[in-house]
Amino acid sequence: MAFTFTDSNVEEIIASGKAVVVDFWAPWCGPCVAMSPVIDALAEEYKDKDIVIGKYNTEEENDLCIANRVISIPQILFFKNGKAAPFRLAGAQKPEKVKETIEKLLAL
């Protein structure tokens, strides 16, 4: 199961220096709901790695959206060493593409 990011925990997790994958979603967003099992499966697959993979509900939280200029969802942001990675994924994605981008993040 994917981690649940909130405004009260996300900055601390990013600052930890670990690789972090944040899926921005909302319950009313069809493509977001379709991505949910992909994110859950990847969180399970990478659970023994030094990475946190989770979801950030934009209906309940918004500080991270504002700080990272997230204006459309679904959107996946990647962080490592306390900073945003130089790539992001917007829109519904194939599981292979998300996994490829996670591997790219881990290689940074």
Side-chain angles (χ1 to χ4, degrees):
M1 186 63 96
F3 184 81
T4 300
F5 292 108
T6 65
D7 287 337
S8 63
N9 69 18
V10 71
E11 290 299 332
E12 180 180 340
I13 294 166
I14 291 170
S16 74
K18 290 182 178 186
V20 179
V21 178
V22 182
D23 172 35
F24 291 80
W25 76 286
W28 50 262
C29 169
C32 299
V33 173
M35 287 296 299
S36 185
V38 172
I39 299 301
D40 287 339
L42 289 168
E44 180 65 25
E45 182 176 341
Y46 285 90
K47 70 181 179 186
D48 296 328
K49 303 276 186 186
D50 196 24
I51 186 169
V52 180
I53 299 173
K55 303 172 190 176
Y56 182 89
N57 185 338
T58 61
E59 281 293 296
E60 298 174 357
E61 316 290 337
N62 66 15
D63 292 350
L64 195 63
C65 294
I66 295 166
N68 289 278
R69 297 184 177 137
V70 173
I71 57 173
S72 65
I73 55 174
Q75 193 156 158
I76 304 172
L77 270 55
F78 302 84
F79 300 86
K80 191 166 182 188
N81 299 322
K83 298 179 184 176
F87 43 82
R88 61 174 65 195
L89 297 174
Q93 302 289 323
K94 293 183 178 183
E96 299 81 21
K97 179 64 176 175
V98 180
K99 186 172 180 174
E100 174 187 308
T101 309
I102 289 171
E103 290 296 329
K104 192 170 154 183
L105 176 70
L106 291 172
L108 288 177

